[in-house]
Amino acid sequence: YEQTLLKRPDLVYLTTSAGERIPACHIRPRSYMDNLPGGRSTRKTLLYSHGNAEDLGLHLRYVDCLARDLDADVFSYEYVGGYSLSQLEGAEPSEEGCIRSIDAAWRYCTDQLMIAPQDIVIFGRSIGSGPSVDLASREVEGSAHSPLDVAGVLLQSPIESGARVAFGETVSWIGYSLDIFRNYEKIGKIRAPCAIMHGTADKVVPLRNGQNLHALLQRPFEPLWIDGYGHNDMPQDRCFGYAKGFLDTLNRR
């Protein structure tokens, strides 16, 4: 699948603040609006952070469908260390590496491509909610643009934190210094509207994670709790339909 990724015309490379080189794809589906006077239609760009046990090459079909069905541009990047074409000798996946990666994606989208923050929706799935929530809750060093000004944030099966997924709230406090992606501390700082979808039968990231995060939002969008579905079998049509409804609402603001 890496050869398929290498052949993509929309493949680009980003450089993190630590000098690491990571791949990304910028999917820009054509729309009938592109042929109207005035040129290309104004559409949102989804800055997508994938889940665990995935990489950019493995989810190409997913992000292509996401862009097509939502009529949105999608910028999907890879994490530093052990993932796809970003594998570096001696590098291991880490919270810090994920943060450097999404920061590089943000700087590329806003400072190089000149996409306005108001046209960006930050989208994180599963552990990808970690870098997504982190980005949406703060400024980015070296960027002229603030993630606090994005149009919205979309989360699918998000984690409260690494420890809370596995052990619950009590253990997360005991092992606080070792806990990663503490979304429960950051999500309340997000200024943009935020939409959350989660399966009620999720045994990997229990539903309480999504529910507890939703309760902390400044500007909550009506959540989608999908009855009877787990972590990896969420129905794509319902998830995409929910995401499209969220984007449509943002476009009317």
Side-chain angles (χ1 to χ4, degrees):
Y1 67 87
E2 289 186 359
Q3 291 303 311
T4 300
L5 177 57
L6 286 168
K7 294 176 182 177
R8 296 272 303 202
D10 50 15
L11 175 66
V12 298
Y13 286 91
L14 316 176
T15 302
T16 73
S17 59
E20 300 137 324
R21 191 166 180 256
I22 57 173
C25 284
H26 187 196
I27 301 101
R28 306 179 73 195
R30 289 194 59 81
S31 166
Y32 76 94
M33 292 287 289
D34 299 339
N35 298 319
L36 297 180
R40 184 172 170 79
S41 63
T42 299
R43 56 161 73 94
K44 293 291 185 282
T45 295
L46 299 176
L47 176 51
Y48 179 69
S49 300
H50 66 71
N52 196 23
E54 301 177 26
D55 63 34
L56 181 58
L58 287 174
H59 72 240
L60 288 173
R61 184 173 181 180
Y62 172 81
V63 291
D64 283 340
C65 291
L66 182 67
R68 181 198 65 209
D69 291 2
L70 271 61
D71 191 26
D73 293 352
V74 175
F75 193 88
S76 182
Y77 68 98
E78 193 52 274
Y79 306 130
V80 165
Y83 289 91
S84 183
L85 301 179
S86 71
Q87 295 179 24
L88 303 171
E89 186 175 353
E92 294 290 338
S94 67
E95 179 178 17
E96 294 78 13
C98 290
I99 300 306
R100 291 196 301 274
S101 301
I102 199 170
D103 282 3
W106 175 263
R107 288 191 295 268
Y108 184 85
C109 286
T110 59
D111 298 312
Q112 289 189 240
L113 298 181
M114 302 301 292
I115 302 173
Q118 295 80 6
D119 291 327
I120 294 175
V121 174
I122 297 172
F123 180 14
R125 178 183 178 274
S126 187
I127 202 168
S129 65
S132 296
V133 169
D134 185 87
L135 177 66
S137 68
R138 60 176 171 85
E139 307 286 346
V140 171
E141 184 176 354
S143 176
H145 305 280
S146 174
L148 293 168
D149 297 328
V150 295
V153 177
L154 177 63
L155 303 174
Q156 180 175 334
S157 310
I159 64 172
E160 282 190 88
S161 76
R164 291 192 179 191
V165 167
F167 306 112
E169 184 174 346
T170 301
V171 173
S172 75
W173 289 120
I174 296 171
Y176 181 83
S177 63
L178 301 176
D179 199 4
I180 62 171
F181 295 126
R182 294 193 289 265
N183 286 341
Y184 64 87
E185 288 186 339
K186 304 171 184 176
I187 200 163
K189 300 175 184 177
I190 296 176
R191 298 177 188 171
C194 185
I196 298 178
M197 49 183 154
H198 214 121
T200 64
D202 194 329
K203 295 181 180 179
V204 177
V205 180
L207 175 62
R208 67 174 184 273
N209 286 260
Q211 292 174 325
N212 291 343
L213 290 175
H214 185 267
L216 297 171
L217 292 171
Q218 287 188 37
R219 300 175 65 186
F221 186 77
E222 185 67 27
L224 176 65
W225 313 133
I226 305 183
D227 190 45
Y229 285 90
H231 195 69
N232 295 311
D233 65 348
M234 294 275 278
Q236 186 165 293
D237 58 339
R238 293 189 63 184
C239 292
F240 282 10
Y242 176 71
K244 184 67 165 62
F246 182 51
L247 263 60
D248 288 345
T249 298
L250 297 177
N251 285 330
R252 290 195 295 268
R253 290 180 183 272

